[in-house]
Short mmCIF file of all heavy atoms in Angstrom, two decimals:
data_model
loop_
_atom_site.label_atom_id
_atom_site.label_comp_id
_atom_site.label_asym_id
_atom_site.label_seq_id
_atom_site.Cartn_x
_atom_site.Cartn_y
_atom_site.Cartn_z
N LYS A 28 1.77 12.38 11.56
CA LYS A 28 1.51 11.93 12.93
C LYS A 28 0.78 10.60 12.89
O LYS A 28 1.11 9.69 13.63
CB LYS A 28 0.69 12.97 13.68
CG LYS A 28 1.48 14.22 14.00
CD LYS A 28 0.62 15.23 14.71
CE LYS A 28 1.40 16.52 14.93
NZ LYS A 28 0.57 17.58 15.42
N ARG A 29 -0.20 10.47 11.99
CA ARG A 29 -0.94 9.22 11.88
C ARG A 29 0.00 8.11 11.43
O ARG A 29 0.02 7.04 12.02
CB ARG A 29 -2.10 9.36 10.90
CG ARG A 29 -2.90 8.08 10.80
CD ARG A 29 -4.04 8.23 9.80
NE ARG A 29 -4.88 7.07 9.81
CZ ARG A 29 -4.60 5.92 9.19
NH1 ARG A 29 -3.49 5.79 8.51
NH2 ARG A 29 -5.44 4.91 9.23
N ALA A 30 0.76 8.35 10.38
CA ALA A 30 1.66 7.32 9.88
C ALA A 30 2.68 6.95 10.95
O ALA A 30 2.99 5.78 11.12
CB ALA A 30 2.35 7.80 8.61
N HIS A 31 3.18 7.93 11.66
CA HIS A 31 4.18 7.65 12.70
C HIS A 31 3.56 6.79 13.79
O HIS A 31 4.16 5.81 14.23
CB HIS A 31 4.72 8.96 13.28
CG HIS A 31 5.66 8.75 14.41
ND1 HIS A 31 6.85 8.07 14.27
CD2 HIS A 31 5.57 9.08 15.71
CE1 HIS A 31 7.46 8.01 15.43
NE2 HIS A 31 6.70 8.62 16.33
N SER A 32 2.34 7.11 14.21
CA SER A 32 1.74 6.32 15.28
C SER A 32 1.43 4.91 14.78
O SER A 32 1.57 3.96 15.53
CB SER A 32 0.48 7.00 15.81
OG SER A 32 -0.52 7.05 14.82
N ASN A 33 1.04 4.75 13.50
CA ASN A 33 0.80 3.42 12.96
C ASN A 33 2.10 2.62 12.92
O ASN A 33 2.13 1.45 13.25
CB ASN A 33 0.22 3.49 11.55
CG ASN A 33 -1.23 3.86 11.54
OD1 ASN A 33 -1.87 3.89 12.58
ND2 ASN A 33 -1.75 4.15 10.37
N MET A 34 3.17 3.25 12.46
CA MET A 34 4.43 2.54 12.33
C MET A 34 5.02 2.21 13.69
O MET A 34 5.73 1.23 13.83
CB MET A 34 5.40 3.35 11.48
CG MET A 34 5.00 3.36 10.01
SD MET A 34 6.17 4.18 8.96
CE MET A 34 5.86 5.88 9.34
N ALA A 35 4.72 3.00 14.70
CA ALA A 35 5.24 2.74 16.05
C ALA A 35 4.49 1.58 16.68
O ALA A 35 5.02 0.91 17.56
CB ALA A 35 5.11 3.99 16.90
N LYS A 36 3.28 1.35 16.23
CA LYS A 36 2.47 0.26 16.75
C LYS A 36 3.06 -1.07 16.28
O LYS A 36 3.35 -1.25 15.11
CB LYS A 36 1.03 0.43 16.25
CG LYS A 36 0.04 -0.49 16.86
CD LYS A 36 -1.34 -0.16 16.35
CE LYS A 36 -2.31 -1.26 16.74
NZ LYS A 36 -3.57 -1.12 16.05
N GLU A 37 3.22 -2.00 17.18
CA GLU A 37 3.87 -3.28 16.87
C GLU A 37 2.93 -4.30 16.24
O GLU A 37 3.36 -5.36 15.82
CB GLU A 37 4.49 -3.88 18.14
CG GLU A 37 5.64 -3.05 18.67
CD GLU A 37 6.81 -2.99 17.71
OE1 GLU A 37 7.13 -4.01 17.08
OE2 GLU A 37 7.38 -1.90 17.57
N THR A 38 1.62 -3.97 16.21
CA THR A 38 0.66 -4.91 15.64
C THR A 38 -0.19 -4.22 14.56
O THR A 38 -0.24 -3.00 14.48
CB THR A 38 -0.29 -5.46 16.73
OG1 THR A 38 -1.01 -4.36 17.32
CG2 THR A 38 0.47 -6.22 17.80
N ILE A 39 -0.83 -5.04 13.78
CA ILE A 39 -1.76 -4.59 12.74
C ILE A 39 -3.12 -5.18 13.09
O ILE A 39 -3.21 -6.36 13.47
CB ILE A 39 -1.33 -5.11 11.34
CG1 ILE A 39 0.04 -4.59 10.97
CG2 ILE A 39 -2.36 -4.78 10.28
CD1 ILE A 39 0.09 -3.15 10.56
N THR A 40 -4.18 -4.40 12.95
CA THR A 40 -5.52 -4.91 13.20
C THR A 40 -6.05 -5.54 11.93
O THR A 40 -6.06 -4.92 10.86
CB THR A 40 -6.47 -3.78 13.64
OG1 THR A 40 -5.92 -3.14 14.79
CG2 THR A 40 -7.86 -4.31 13.95
N VAL A 41 -6.45 -6.80 12.01
CA VAL A 41 -7.09 -7.51 10.91
C VAL A 41 -8.44 -8.00 11.42
O VAL A 41 -8.72 -7.95 12.62
CB VAL A 41 -6.22 -8.69 10.40
CG1 VAL A 41 -4.91 -8.18 9.81
CG2 VAL A 41 -5.97 -9.69 11.50
N TYR A 42 -9.26 -8.48 10.48
CA TYR A 42 -10.61 -8.92 10.84
C TYR A 42 -10.80 -10.36 10.40
O TYR A 42 -10.46 -10.73 9.28
CB TYR A 42 -11.65 -8.00 10.19
CG TYR A 42 -11.49 -6.59 10.68
CD1 TYR A 42 -10.62 -5.70 10.06
CD2 TYR A 42 -12.17 -6.16 11.81
CE1 TYR A 42 -10.43 -4.43 10.55
CE2 TYR A 42 -11.99 -4.88 12.29
CZ TYR A 42 -11.12 -4.03 11.66
OH TYR A 42 -10.94 -2.76 12.15
N PRO A 48 -12.21 -7.93 15.11
CA PRO A 48 -10.84 -7.46 14.99
C PRO A 48 -9.87 -8.38 15.74
O PRO A 48 -10.23 -8.98 16.76
CB PRO A 48 -10.88 -6.08 15.63
CG PRO A 48 -12.06 -6.10 16.53
CD PRO A 48 -13.04 -7.07 15.94
N ARG A 49 -8.69 -8.48 15.20
CA ARG A 49 -7.63 -9.28 15.82
C ARG A 49 -6.31 -8.57 15.57
O ARG A 49 -6.09 -8.04 14.48
CB ARG A 49 -7.62 -10.66 15.18
CG ARG A 49 -6.77 -11.66 15.91
CD ARG A 49 -6.80 -12.96 15.19
NE ARG A 49 -5.72 -12.90 14.22
CZ ARG A 49 -5.14 -13.94 13.67
NH1 ARG A 49 -5.57 -15.13 13.93
NH2 ARG A 49 -4.15 -13.80 12.84
N GLU A 50 -5.46 -8.53 16.54
CA GLU A 50 -4.13 -7.92 16.39
C GLU A 50 -3.11 -9.00 16.06
O GLU A 50 -3.08 -10.02 16.72
CB GLU A 50 -3.72 -7.21 17.69
CG GLU A 50 -4.63 -6.07 18.11
CD GLU A 50 -4.53 -4.85 17.21
OE1 GLU A 50 -3.40 -4.51 16.79
OE2 GLU A 50 -5.57 -4.25 16.92
N ILE A 51 -2.32 -8.74 15.02
CA ILE A 51 -1.22 -9.66 14.71
C ILE A 51 0.06 -8.83 14.65
O ILE A 51 0.02 -7.64 14.32
CB ILE A 51 -1.44 -10.46 13.42
CG1 ILE A 51 -1.47 -9.56 12.19
CG2 ILE A 51 -2.69 -11.31 13.49
CD1 ILE A 51 -1.44 -10.33 10.89
N PRO A 52 1.18 -9.43 14.98
CA PRO A 52 2.44 -8.69 14.93
C PRO A 52 2.70 -8.13 13.53
O PRO A 52 2.44 -8.79 12.52
CB PRO A 52 3.49 -9.74 15.31
CG PRO A 52 2.74 -10.77 16.08
CD PRO A 52 1.36 -10.80 15.46
N ARG A 53 3.22 -6.92 13.49
CA ARG A 53 3.51 -6.24 12.22
C ARG A 53 4.40 -7.09 11.33
O ARG A 53 4.16 -7.22 10.14
CB ARG A 53 4.17 -4.89 12.52
CG ARG A 53 4.54 -4.08 11.32
CD ARG A 53 5.08 -2.72 11.74
NE ARG A 53 4.02 -1.88 12.26
CZ ARG A 53 3.15 -1.20 11.49
NH1 ARG A 53 3.25 -1.25 10.21
NH2 ARG A 53 2.23 -0.47 12.04
N ALA A 54 5.45 -7.68 11.90
CA ALA A 54 6.37 -8.49 11.10
C ALA A 54 5.66 -9.70 10.50
O ALA A 54 5.90 -10.06 9.35
CB ALA A 54 7.55 -8.93 11.96
N PHE A 56 2.44 -9.86 9.81
CA PHE A 56 1.56 -9.35 8.76
C PHE A 56 2.35 -9.12 7.47
O PHE A 56 1.93 -9.53 6.39
CB PHE A 56 0.90 -8.02 9.20
CG PHE A 56 -0.03 -7.47 8.16
CD1 PHE A 56 -1.36 -7.85 8.14
CD2 PHE A 56 0.42 -6.60 7.18
CE1 PHE A 56 -2.23 -7.36 7.18
CE2 PHE A 56 -0.44 -6.10 6.21
CZ PHE A 56 -1.76 -6.49 6.22
N TYR A 81 -2.60 1.02 1.41
CA TYR A 81 -2.63 0.59 2.81
C TYR A 81 -1.21 0.31 3.31
O TYR A 81 -0.82 0.76 4.40
CB TYR A 81 -3.50 -0.67 2.96
CG TYR A 81 -3.50 -1.19 4.38
CD1 TYR A 81 -4.30 -0.59 5.35
CD2 TYR A 81 -2.68 -2.24 4.75
CE1 TYR A 81 -4.27 -1.03 6.66
CE2 TYR A 81 -2.66 -2.69 6.06
CZ TYR A 81 -3.45 -2.09 7.01
OH TYR A 81 -3.42 -2.53 8.30
N GLU A 85 0.86 2.24 6.31
CA GLU A 85 1.32 1.47 7.47
C GLU A 85 2.85 1.35 7.53
O GLU A 85 3.37 0.67 8.40
CB GLU A 85 0.70 0.07 7.44
CG GLU A 85 -0.78 0.05 7.72
CD GLU A 85 -1.11 0.49 9.14
OE1 GLU A 85 -0.28 0.30 10.06
OE2 GLU A 85 -2.21 1.01 9.35
N GLY A 86 3.55 2.01 6.61
CA GLY A 86 5.01 1.98 6.64
C GLY A 86 5.62 0.69 6.13
O GLY A 86 6.76 0.37 6.45
N MET A 87 4.88 -0.05 5.32
CA MET A 87 5.37 -1.32 4.78
C MET A 87 5.76 -1.17 3.31
O MET A 87 5.50 -2.06 2.50
CB MET A 87 4.31 -2.40 4.98
CG MET A 87 4.09 -2.74 6.43
SD MET A 87 2.92 -4.08 6.67
CE MET A 87 1.41 -3.15 6.82
#
Side-chain angles (χ1 to χ4, degrees):
K28 289 178 184 171
R29 181 181 186 280
H31 176 62
S32 65
N33 284 350
M34 288 184 285
K36 189 176 168 192
E37 294 297 320
T38 60
I39 299 285
T40 304
V41 296
Y42 299 87
R49 191 181 89 158
E50 298 290 320
I51 64 170
R53 179 176 289 280
F56 181 89
Y81 177 80
E85 290 294 332
M87 293 183 269

